[in-house]
Amino acid sequence: MLDVDGDGVVTHAEYLGRVARVASAMGRDASHPVVVASRAAHEAVFADMDGDHDGRVTFEEYRTWVGHDAFERSCRPALGSLFDIADADGDGRLERGEFIRMRTAAGNAEADAAAAFDDLDADHDGLVDRDTYLAGIRDFVTTGTSPMAASYGTGRPLLDTAH
């Protein structure tokens, strides 16, 4: 999802491109305060992931970096900032269409994003709140136990390379 061109590394442009794609999909101008904040949060994540500071994140660098601490330190703010871009009314919840547009613009297949929404909307009120979304991603990335795991075709954490 992060390696847009499939060359085995995530470049700075690829990583920051998610912010621009989500902002565009949600009709937010690049100068909007939530977009500016998101870009800053993503800059911090990229700097944290890029262990050798060469402007490229290899899978090994990602694997060394990823985990609970990295999620809390830098992913939570960055992923939360994408949620904030999509949250047009600022109520801390996304409707299905907003969620799918955000996740699709971030690089997920539309069917996967729709299934993830359904899995996260446990009370079936047609909304996913920010905390539920971030907890779902944290658990998916670090343990593979998230409701989102089935939507993305795995019950394993993303850092599990044995399969």
Side-chain angles (χ1 to χ4, degrees), residues 10 23-25 28 30 36 41 50 52 55 65 67 93 96-97 111-113 120 123 128 130 136 142 156 160:
V10 178
S24 178
R28 299 273 195 172
V36 172
D50 186 11
D52 62 5
W65 169 82
R93 302 177 304 173
R96 183 182 179 81
D112 290 344
L120 292 172
D123 63 3
V128 170
R130 192 177 196 273
T142 61
R156 299 182 315 273
D160 178 5

Side-chain angles (χ1 to χ4, degrees), residues 11-158:
T11 65
H12 183 263
E14 285 174 316
Y15 192 72
L16 271 285
R18 335 185 321 147
V19 175
R21 288 189 311 274
V22 170
S24 178
M26 304 314 292
R28 299 273 195 172
D29 185 82
S31 63
H32 191 284
V34 297
V35 178
V36 172
S38 185
R39 206 169 25 258
H42 280 75
E43 287 280 2
V45 172
F46 191 84
D48 202 26
M49 285 190 301
D50 186 11
D52 62 5
H53 308 291
D54 67 351
R56 300 163 28 107
V57 176
T58 65
F59 182 74
E60 286 305 314
E61 284 176 303
Y62 177 81
R63 195 167 92 173
T64 298
W65 169 82
V66 74
H68 291 284
D69 291 340
F71 187 89
E72 294 303 325
R73 180 179 61 249
S74 54
C75 285
R76 177 178 292 281
L79 293 169
S81 73
L82 293 178
F83 188 99
D84 296 342
I85 291 172
D87 185 10
D89 63 6
D91 69 352
R93 302 177 304 173
L94 296 181
E95 296 173 357
R96 183 182 179 81
E98 292 172 317
F99 183 93
I100 293 170
R101 278 197 320 276
M102 174 192 65
R103 294 302 304 166
T104 302
N108 293 119
E110 187 173 338
D112 290 344
F117 180 89
D118 293 342
D119 292 339
L120 292 172
D121 182 18
D123 63 3
H124 307 291
D125 67 352
L127 299 166
V128 170
D129 69 62
R130 192 177 196 273
D131 289 340
T132 299
Y133 172 67
L134 292 172
I137 292 178
R138 180 198 63 227
D139 293 346
F140 175 64
V141 170
T142 61
T143 69
T145 62
S146 168
M148 295 175 71
S151 303
Y152 292 101
T154 180
R156 299 182 315 273
L158 289 182

